[in-house]
Amino acid sequence: MTIEEKEEKIQEKWEVQLRKGTLELVILAALQHRTLYGLELLKLLQGFKSAAITEGTLYPLLDRLKREGIVDAQWVQEGDVRPRKYYSLTDTGHHKLADLITLWRQSVLDIEFLLAHPGPDVLPVQGE
Amino acid sequence: MEQRDIIHQYLKELERYLARLEKAQAQEVLREIESHIFDALDQQQSSGLAEDAKAILQGFGEPRELALAYIAHITKGAPPPSGFKAIQKVKQGVTATLYYAMAAFGFSIAFALFFVAGAKVFMPDSVGAWSAGNGYSLAIGFFAGPYPADQELLGVWFIPVATLTALLVISLTRKVLRVLKNNM
């Protein structure tokens, strides 16, 4: 394996981890004040480079979120089309989303701060 | 294979692996996935592509893997089902029976071989190994008269051969017993 290939692999691994860690936030964000069925949600997520997931990841995750009371699901039949299962956030889901947003924004701020203050200067101490 | 057949086969297999869920729950999962697949097929068609069920199913992964993701919350950290201890006991009983049966079997064969080897020293003519039935069978042991007309195979060599075989059988038996004991 060449060095470039190795670097590419490490980067890919990091991407996978990042996607995994943020997936729940991404799904809750997508369902914010919106009701979507599985395929719709999947296409929406696949439109983003950092959120492209497969059916096999999405559906079991939705199942878990439903069991945890974070999302609600309802079968809807419109006209001739076959029935589809629509997902929306519950009250608990909205609270959870608010919590995750806080965590996410803090994390981005912290990382940006570090990136904006490279060495060799001493890092200004936070919170002073 | 027809596109529909591929899909039905997939769903059937998935259903089998979802057996640990409650029936209604499993049906709900299947219904949603089926709805997704047929929706996606329609979308392929309306965008002028050829229907390709395999490509859609690929996104879901192997039925077994997909089902595992759905039942992970049941299998992870769940206590063993009641009756589990009883099963363990039965298994232990079987192993103990096997252990003693193996010991009896191995050591009695070894003992018999020692005995015959010893007897050969005192009664060289009526103890030994004979080939009989034109070589189709082998007779080892004591016989009142020399075994029907055929030649005895080993002569005095019978003594060391039988003794060594007995030792080999003992060592094999002990090895097997050690393995069984570890699993008891």
Side-chain angles (χ1 to χ4, degrees), chain A residues 56 59 67 75 84-85 87, chain B residues 28 32 36 39 59 70 73:
Chain A
Y59 282 103
R67 243 181 300 116
W75 284 96
R84 288 162 175 163
K85 196 172 172 183
Y87 291 90
Chain B
E28 173 87 10
E32 180 174 28
H36 175 109
D39 256 359
Y70 272 106
H73 65 287

Side-chain angles (χ1 to χ4, degrees), chain B residues 19-34:
Chain B
R20 294 203 55 176
L21 292 181
E22 276 173 38
K23 188 138 188 158
Q25 249 179 314
Q27 288 307 318
E28 173 87 10
V29 170
L30 289 167
R31 195 174 156 214
E32 180 174 28
I33 289 173
E34 187 182 16

Side-chain angles (χ1 to χ4, degrees), chain B residues 5-18 30 63:
Chain B
D5 292 341
I6 296 174
I7 294 164
H8 283 136
Q9 200 186 339
Y10 183 91
L11 291 171
K12 231 172 150 181
E13 209 170 320
L14 181 63
E15 184 176 14
R16 204 153 49 82
Y17 286 118
L18 286 174
L30 289 167

Side-chain angles (χ1 to χ4, degrees), chain A residues 104-122:
Chain A
W104 168 252
R105 295 210 165 128
Q106 186 61 53
S107 164
V108 171
L109 277 178
D110 293 349
I111 293 169
E112 287 296 343
F113 181 83
L114 285 171
L115 291 175
H117 295 86
D121 295 345
V122 180

Side-chain angles (χ1 to χ4, degrees), chain B residues 2 6 26 47 54 66-67 120 153-154 160 169 179 181:
Chain B
E2 275 292 313
I6 296 174
S47 53
K54 273 203 184 130
L66 182 61
K120 176 80 175 170
L153 293 171
L154 295 165
V169 169
V179 171
K181 182 131 207 163

